[in-house]
Structures are given as structure tokens and as C-alpha cells.
Amino acid sequence: MIEVLRRLGRTGLQFFERLGRGHLFLGYVLLGVPEVLSRFRLLVAQVWSVGVLSLVIVLVSGVFVGMVLGLQGYNTLVDFNAEESLGVVVALSLVRELGPVVAALLFAGRAGSALTAEIGLMKATEQLAGMEMMAVDPLRRVVAPRFLAGLLSMPLLAAIFSAVGVLGGWFVGVGLLGVDDGAFWSQMQAKVDLHDDILNGVIKSVVFGIVVTWIAVFEGYDAVPTSEGVGRATTRTVVHSSLAVLGLDFVLTALMFNDI
Amino acid sequence: MTVRGLCFAHGERKIFDGVDLRIARGKVTAIMGPSGTGKTTLLRLIGGQLRPTAGTVTVDGQDVHQLSREKLFQLRKRMGMLFQSGALLTDLSVFDNVAFPLREHTDLPESMIRHLVLMKLEAVGLRGAHGLMPRELSGGMGRRVALARAIALDPMMILYDEPFTGQDPITMGVLVQLIRKLNDSLKLTSVIVSHDVKETSAIADYIYVLSGGKVVGEGSPEALGRTSSPWVRQFLQGLPDGPVPFHYPAPDFLGDLLGGGSP
């Protein structure tokens, strides 16, 4: 009994210790951000590897999610003779929910895991320690540019996801199922609100961007410097950031779309 | 550089228990000891990457562990360290690796950096390899590039972590020569942590032998060769049995075989 309690206490303490380390880490990284802005090339290189290289998976997934939405939406709406509202259904689902959430999940799998593995391996091969001994702070030189790149890329990827998703929905609805082209776009234009829908979606994607990138770089930096440790850290990044995205999505949705 | 009463523990395990060292300016000092005596840990303590539980490390009159982060980084610019793995940045070419500290810490124009990098690479004999990536280098070449990078900022001191481990005889000879040559021509202070007795004794001016968290022998290579300590003699001559037993502590062999207890 005592042993169970002791183990519980130890796990709890370790959890809070890690949480504290993660926050301190974030603080140090944020301190390094202004320096990154003055070294633009470092940032561009990271936006390339974190953002641009994630484009393909985001584009392809976006088109397919939009096409599925078009099909499912049409099948439901056609029973009520409301298939002209297909544009609104597709656009709102994407902009409010699926764009930020699915893009963030893909981002965690594609870019987050790569960030963790890269930083973890740099640690395992003493590259980070080597930098420290050259009086270069790895938090500023390695972590801060990657963090900022993730933070900038994620909202853009979510926006691209939503945009190609709408096109996918349009292709299925208008192109294949014969929904009226004008009604598709004009209803969408009338019903999608800049503030309530688009801005809130952007806010979600920014929050997800921060959380996923933070988890990814922290897991890499905090990884046990062995191949097994890096492997486990990479898994943790994907699991933790996916759970964080889904959990936060509920909280944010409750705050944004419930007029309490 | 002086180390005084250094103690360090990793969890419950004591690694250093009152180590005193004096490292003379301009000399090559070797710190030797069997694997697991914490030689690498010692270098990390000297470089300020770890904090001792007690004792002080003074480099050039400054107590390393009392310095602010900024001052520590200032001091590290004057210390080079050669890691066992080389620790080259794998996404940069050989040229960019050597240029890395120059680009990070100076505002020199690119033409000047090019000259400096080629000079440093020439010193280690690898000017022709400046376009290669670290994965294209052999282990010995990687260490030489790391050495060129360590001297890029013209440090006053270089710390070598096991520079000879796992190298073929030719590479080993090259590294031995290089360390001595660089030390003398650049007026460096070199600290070599190693368990390669022959190579290290060939170039060291002074040797400390560590074991069990303490200094168990010190002196010039010749003086150590005449040591009366059976432990130091066993280590230097590589004898399989002696004060350091061949067998890990175990119960009686016959009893263990016949007892048939747990495996």
C-alpha cells in the first residue's frame, strides 16, 4: 500500500518537475526569439524544413477531406432540398474545425516528429554540448529558430488546408453532383463570418502551432541521449501533441462558439 | 588552471572525492585512468557544463562555477574542446563547421573568414577536404576537423576528450603529433583525458592518474614509470591482474557451481 502511494507520489513529482522544466525551457526559447528575427536566414531555412516540406501532405489531405465533406454534406442536404447550402457546410466545417485540427495533427506527425528527432539526435551526438563549449547557446541557435518557424508555419498550413478543402468540396458538389455553382459560392460568402468563423479558426491554428512546436522541441531537447531515448521522445511528441490539440480544441470551441 | 577539492556525485554514486590538479600554462597535461573513472565528467566540470558538489575549478584566475552565464560564455570562447565523437554539426560542410565559431562570435567579412578557415584546416592537413560533409569523413579526419574548429578562435586552452580512442595506428600518430605541434606553435595549454598510456605519455609533460574519484599518482611520464605504487604500475603497464582484480566480486566459484541457487 505504502509502496503504491510512494510510486504515485514519485510519478506525480516527476510529472510536475517536467512540466516546470518545459515552462522554463519555453521562457528561455522566447528570450532567444528577438535574436532569430535579426538572423533572417536561419529562420527561412527552418520555415522551409518545417513548413514547406509539410505542404504536400497538407495539400493532399486537404483536398480529400474537402471531397469527403462534399459527398457527405450533399447526401444529407439533398433530403431537405438544401443542397445549395453545401458551400456553407463545407466551408464552416473546414474553417472552424477541420482545418486547424487536422492540419495540426498532420503537422505533429510530419514536422513535430522530425523536430524532436533532429534535436534529440543532435543531443545524442554531442552537437548541442559542442555548441555550448563554443559559447553558442543551443537554445538560441538551434531551438528558437525552429520554434518560431513552427509557430509561423502552422496557421499558414491550416489556411492552405481549408482553402484546398473548399476546392475539393466544390469539385465534388458542383463538378460531380450538380450543385449550382453560383449558390455554392454566394451562400458561402453570405454565411461565413470573418470574425466569428475565420478569425476564430486562425486563433485555434496559432494556439495549436505554439503547443505542437513547443512539445516537439522540448521533447527533443529533453530526450535521453540514446537511440532508444530519441525514439521514445519522438513517439511522445506525436502522442502528446495530438492529445493536446484535441483537448485544446474542445476548450477553445467552448470559449469561442458558445455564447454563454 | 587549478582544481581544488573537487567533489561530484551522480545520484548516489560518488564520482570525484576531493580531486586536486594544477595544470601549468603552455604545457600538455594528461589525465589518465581506467574507463568509468569520470574523466569526461571532469572535462565537463572544467568547462562549466556540470556543477561540482564541492570544490572549485579556477581557469585563468576565474572560478568557473561562480561566473554568470555571460561571463562563462566569454571564458568558453577562450577554451576549445575536442569531443570524443568530434561533435561536428552534421548539416554543415567541413568549411562551415570550422567557420561556425567565427561566424557566431565575430563580424569578420566573409573573405577574412575564408582565409582563417583555410589556415586552420591547413594546420590539421585537411584544407583539401573543406567541401566535404562530416558523414564523408573517416573518424580520424572528423577529429582533425573538430580540432581545426576548436582552434578557430585562437583559444588559450584546449581540452581533449579521449582523442586517440578507436583510431588506427597512422591516425593515432598523426593526432599525437598534431596535439604536440599545435600546443607548442600556438602557445596553448592542453589537457588530454585518455587511457591510451603509450600515446599520451609520448607527448605529455605531466600526468595525473585518477582512480576511484581520487588522484592516485602524478608526475612526469619518466617519474611515473619509476613509481612504487602497484596500482599505477598495473595501469601503466596494462597488467590483467593486480590491485585491480580481474574478477568482478563474486561468491566462491565452486560453491556457486554446486549450489544451484538462482542463476
Side-chain angles (χ1 to χ4, degrees):
Chain A
M1 182 63 196
I2 293 289
E3 187 52 37
V4 173
L5 277 179
R6 192 180 290 159
R7 210 172 297 161
L8 200 70
R10 190 162 53 221
T11 317
L13 277 179
Q14 275 168 356
F15 172 76
F16 283 112
E17 196 191 316
R18 226 170 119 73
L19 199 67
R21 261 208 319 276
H23 280 84
L24 277 178
F25 173 84
L26 182 65
Y28 281 122
V29 171
L30 289 177
L31 283 180
V33 164
E35 200 181 307
V36 177
L37 293 174
S38 65
R39 299 180 65 179
F40 205 62
R41 281 173 58 187
L42 276 182
L43 183 62
V44 171
Q46 289 311 320
V47 170
W48 171 266
S49 78
V50 170
V52 178
L53 295 183
S54 308
L55 260 182
V56 175
I57 188 172
V58 164
L59 283 173
V60 173
S61 314
V63 170
F64 278 107
V65 168
M67 282 162 63
V68 170
L69 278 176
L71 266 180
Q72 297 277 19
Y74 180 85
N75 282 336
T76 313
L77 291 171
V78 81
D79 293 343
F80 306 98
N81 274 336
E83 65 267 25
E84 257 100 60
S85 303
L86 184 64
V88 186
V89 171
V90 170
L92 282 184
S93 333
L94 281 166
V95 169
R96 283 180 167 196
E97 282 300 326
L98 293 171
V101 172
V102 179
L105 294 177
L106 293 170
F107 183 73
R110 163 64 185 77
S113 57
L115 281 175
T116 305
E118 189 186 9
I119 296 176
L121 275 176
M122 286 180 89
K123 186 179 182 186
T125 52
E126 294 185 313
Q127 294 184 49
L128 297 184
M131 263 190 207
E132 264 185 36
M133 284 308 295
M134 285 188 278
V136 176
D137 188 347
L139 284 177
R140 291 173 182 222
R141 179 62 173 69
V142 174
V143 178
R146 283 165 174 77
F147 179 75
L148 198 58
L151 200 132
L152 292 175
S153 304
M154 184 45 223
L156 293 175
L157 289 172
I160 292 171
F161 186 95
S162 298
V164 296
V166 168
L167 289 179
W170 172 83
F171 173 71
V172 169
V174 177
L176 301 181
L177 300 171
V179 175
D180 183 63
D181 197 8
F184 183 91
W185 291 113
S186 62
Q187 289 221 16
M188 192 192 301
Q189 197 185 6
K191 293 277 172 59
V192 178
D193 187 75
L194 178 67
H195 177 266
D196 281 350
D197 304 317
I198 296 183
L199 188 67
N200 279 341
V202 171
I203 291 174
K204 276 187 180 179
S205 63
V206 171
V207 173
F208 296 160
I210 294 173
V211 171
V212 172
T213 323
W214 175 25
I215 292 178
V217 289
F218 176 67
E219 288 290 355
Y221 197 78
D222 205 50
V224 180
T226 59
S227 29
E228 193 198 0
V230 175
R232 239 186 286 160
T234 311
T235 311
R236 268 206 307 269
T237 291
V238 178
V239 173
H240 289 185
S241 48
S242 304
L243 291 178
V245 164
L246 296 171
L248 276 172
D249 183 47
F250 175 74
V251 175
L252 289 173
T253 309
L255 289 175
M256 287 168 176
F257 299 109
N258 253 1
D259 302 319
I260 309 168
Chain B
M1 184 185 96
T2 50
V3 173
R4 234 168 243 303
L6 191 73
C7 296
F8 181 78
H10 194 77
E12 293 288 295
R13 207 162 73 89
K14 262 193 179 171
I15 296 182
F16 296 120
D17 189 12
V19 171
D20 292 297
L21 307 170
R22 268 188 54 83
I23 286 155
R25 204 181 285 266
K27 300 278 195 236
V28 177
T29 306
I31 297 165
M32 299 210 273
S35 323
T37 31
K39 299 189 295 296
T40 304
T41 310
L42 182 63
L43 288 188
R44 291 188 170 232
L45 284 162
I46 294 172
Q49 289 190 315
L50 295 173
R51 285 191 156 277
T53 40
T56 56
V57 176
T58 319
V59 176
D60 200 26
Q62 303 179 72
D63 184 339
V64 174
H65 300 99
Q66 298 297 323
L67 293 176
S68 65
R69 199 175 163 74
E70 214 165 296
K71 288 263 178 60
L72 179 63
F73 271 40
Q74 288 297 331
L75 181 64
R76 281 186 189 162
K77 285 183 199 170
R78 298 159 60 209
M79 284 160 69
M81 177 150 169
L82 191 72
F83 284 85
Q84 198 172 345
S85 62
L88 294 175
L89 302 170
T90 43
D91 55 339
L92 299 180
S93 69
V94 165
F95 183 94
D96 290 330
N97 259 293
V98 181
F100 182 82
L102 294 167
R103 289 191 177 133
E104 290 290 323
H105 294 308
T106 66
D107 293 322
L108 294 174
E110 203 52 31
S111 58
M112 181 87 93
I113 287 183
R114 190 182 141 78
H115 283 158
L116 283 170
V117 170
L118 292 181
M119 274 163 60
K120 305 296 176 191
L121 282 172
E122 177 74 15
V124 298
L126 289 176
R127 184 166 48 83
H130 71 84
L132 299 181
M133 293 304 283
R135 62 173 176 277
E136 298 171 291
L137 303 174
S138 69
M141 283 162 84
R143 259 175 233 189
R144 277 150 74 189
V145 173
L147 186 52
R149 185 177 70 177
I151 57 172
L153 288 173
D154 294 319
M156 55 171 183
M157 179 164 92
I158 299 199
L159 311 171
Y160 296 91
D161 185 7
E162 302 277 9
F164 310 119
T165 308
Q167 301 297 322
D168 65 69
I170 301 177
T171 315
M172 201 116 96
V174 170
L175 285 169
V176 168
Q177 283 296 317
L178 258 180
I179 292 174
R180 186 76 236 184
K181 205 179 82 189
L182 288 175
N183 187 76
D184 296 346
S185 57
L186 301 177
K187 307 257 181 301
L188 296 168
T189 303
S190 306
V191 180
I192 305 176
V193 151
S194 178
H195 52 228
D196 293 290
V197 174
K198 201 172 112 255
E199 288 72 25
T200 311
S201 322
I203 51 167
D205 296 307
Y206 203 82
I207 297 176
Y208 287 95
V209 183
L210 287 184
S211 175
K214 285 188 163 47
V215 175
V216 294
E218 59 176 289
S220 63
E222 299 78 37
L224 270 183
R226 295 189 300 269
T227 180
S228 56
S229 153
W231 195 96
V232 174
R233 194 169 329 128
Q234 186 193 358
F235 177 73
L236 292 180
Q237 298 174 2
L239 305 173
D241 212 350
V244 181
F246 170 69
H247 287 289
Y248 190 83
D252 177 58
F253 190 35
L254 198 62
D256 218 6
L257 286 178
L258 299 177
S262 58

